[in-house]
Amino acid sequence: MTPFERTTSRRNVLTALAAAATVGGPILSQLATAAPAVAAPASDATLPDPLEYPSNTALYQDTNLVEGTSYSRRYRRHQQFDLKMGEKCDFPRTAVLALHGGGIEIGTSELCLGIAGYSPSDSAGAPILPIVHDYFMFEGLLSSGNRALHVTSKNCDDHVALSTAASHLNVLSLHGCQFDQLKLPTSAFPSTGNRAVAVVGGLNADFRAALVTEIKNAGFQAVDAFDSRYSATLGEFNGSHVTNPCNLTMLRKGAQLELTTELRESLFGDSSSRSARADTWDESDGRFERFRDACRKAIATVEAGQPIL
C-alpha cells in the first residue's frame, strides 16, 4: 500500500470516529522537518499498523481531528531558579511520560499524574506529594476508537515530549499492553493465573532493576524485558529503540513500563471511562497508591546515584 493510500484509509476511518467533532478552527501543528532515519534493533523491528499515524506531526495536521475534542496534550515543567553565586541548587532529574494516554491505553494518564506527584482528579491543582516531577501526556479523547490515535513511541516527534526527555537524566514512560501479546512462559505465567503484569523496559539497566524490585515489593508482578527468561518474546515491548523518547534523555537511556490491561484496570475502583478513573483512583484498596509509590521509590533510588554536577 502506498503512503497516499495509507493516509486516505486512515482519514476515512478517523472521519467516522470523529464525526461528532467540530472541525474548522486551526490546529496546532509541528514543524514538518523529517528526522534522519535510524535503524531499529532487530528485536524491535515490527511492521507498522497501516491505520497508525507515522508521527505526531501527521496526526496534528489531520483536519479531521480537533485538539481538545479528539485528543489533548498536557504537560508540566516546574520552574527552577539558581540565584545563589556560592551554592549549587538541585535540578529536576526525572520526567514521566504517557504518550498513549486517555482512551488509547487506559490508566496511563492517571498513573503519569500520580507518579509525578499530582492527583489524577485534579491535575491543575496543587501537588499532593512532597516531591514532584515534570510530565507530558498525549491523550485520546474520542468516545470510541482511540486506538486510531496511537503513534508508535519510536515515531514520536512531539516537540514538548522530546524536549522534556532531552532535558532530564531519566524518563519513565508508561504504556499499556494485553497479557496475551507478551507470550510469557506459561510455566511462570499461566493464562488462567494472575494476568496483571508489568514489563519493565528501556536502556537504563539500573532504572529497570530498581523498578522491578520496587514493583515486586509492592505486591505486583514485574519482569525485566531483557531477562533471558522472557526476552525472546518481549522484543516488541522492551523499549530498546534509540528513538523511543524514554531513551532520548541526557544519558541516552531511560525506562519504560508496559502494563497489562488487567493491571491497569485493577488500579481503579471503576476503570470504564476517563472520568470514572479520575474519580476512583483512590478507591482500589490502595493498589493505585502502592504502584505509584513503587515507581517513585525506584526513581528516588536511581536519582540518589546521580548527583548534579
Side-chain angles (χ1 to χ4, degrees):
M1 182 181 287
T2 67
F4 175 78
E5 290 169 333
R6 283 198 298 270
T7 301
T8 301
S9 173
R10 182 171 56 247
R11 289 193 172 185
N12 287 342
V13 171
L14 284 167
T15 299
L17 292 173
T22 301
V23 179
I27 294 179
L28 294 176
S29 62
Q30 306 286 96
L31 294 175
T33 304
V38 179
S43 64
D44 202 36
T46 57
L47 293 176
D49 183 336
L51 293 180
E52 193 168 273
Y53 285 94
S55 65
N56 290 78
T57 295
L59 187 151
Y60 300 154
Q61 292 176 342
D62 191 331
T63 56
N64 290 303
L65 303 177
V66 178
E67 186 160 10
T69 301
S70 309
Y71 66 90
S72 68
R73 291 178 280 179
R74 291 190 283 165
Y75 71 91
R76 194 160 192 161
R77 305 292 295 272
H78 296 92
Q79 199 170 26
Q80 298 288 321
F81 294 98
D82 182 357
L83 303 178
K84 299 177 181 178
M85 296 180 66
E87 295 182 26
K88 180 180 67 176
C89 295
D90 209 348
F91 193 80
R93 281 167 282 184
T94 304
V96 189
L97 305 183
L99 302 178
H100 308 135
I104 305 173
E105 293 169 355
I106 67 164
T108 56
S109 293
E110 293 79 14
L111 266 178
C112 179
L113 290 168
I115 295 169
Y118 294 89
S119 166
S121 56
D122 184 22
S123 61
I128 62 172
L129 296 174
I131 297 175
V132 293
H133 301 286
D134 294 347
Y135 64 80
F136 170 88
M137 300 183 291
F138 175 87
E139 301 172 283
L141 303 181
L142 297 171
S143 58
S144 63
N146 282 283
R147 173 66 191 181
L149 302 176
H150 185 280
V151 175
T152 299
S153 295
K154 64 185 179 183
N155 294 333
C156 175
D157 63 350
D158 183 286
H159 294 157
V160 179
L162 296 183
S163 67
T164 300
S167 59
H168 289 78
L169 294 174
N170 314 298
V171 158
L172 176 58
S173 189
L174 306 171
H175 298 270
C177 63
Q178 297 177 27
F179 178 85
D180 292 335
Q181 291 178 298
L182 302 176
K183 297 181 174 58
L184 293 167
T186 56
S187 57
F189 296 92
S191 59
T192 56
N194 184 356
R195 296 164 64 93
V197 182
V199 174
V200 185
L203 295 178
N204 189 327
D206 292 337
F207 203 170
R208 292 199 315 270
L211 284 163
V212 170
T213 296
E214 295 298 345
I215 291 172
K216 284 184 173 180
N217 287 344
F220 299 91
Q221 296 183 110
V223 300
D224 186 329
F226 290 82
D227 187 318
S228 60
R229 293 173 293 175
Y230 315 114
S231 58
T233 65
L234 293 180
E236 185 180 349
F237 305 96
N238 66 15
S240 66
H241 202 282
V242 293
T243 63
N244 184 323
C246 81
N247 297 319
L248 293 178
T249 66
M250 295 167 68
L251 300 176
R252 312 308 287 181
K253 58 184 180 180
Q256 172 179 292
L257 292 180
E258 288 277 3
L259 310 174
T260 63
T261 303
E262 290 82 3
L263 174 53
R264 287 174 283 128
E265 289 180 343
S266 75
L267 303 179
F268 305 91
D270 181 354
S271 63
S272 61
S273 67
R274 287 186 298 115
S275 60
R277 292 189 295 275
D279 289 341
T280 65
W281 65 271
D282 55 353
E283 298 176 10
S284 63
D285 295 326
R287 287 179 63 84
F288 183 96
E289 293 91 334
R290 291 203 310 275
F291 195 90
R292 173 199 69 189
D293 293 347
C295 294
R296 288 174 60 86
K297 287 179 182 178
I299 290 171
T301 296
V302 172
E303 288 187 347
Q306 298 173 329
I308 299 297
L309 300 178

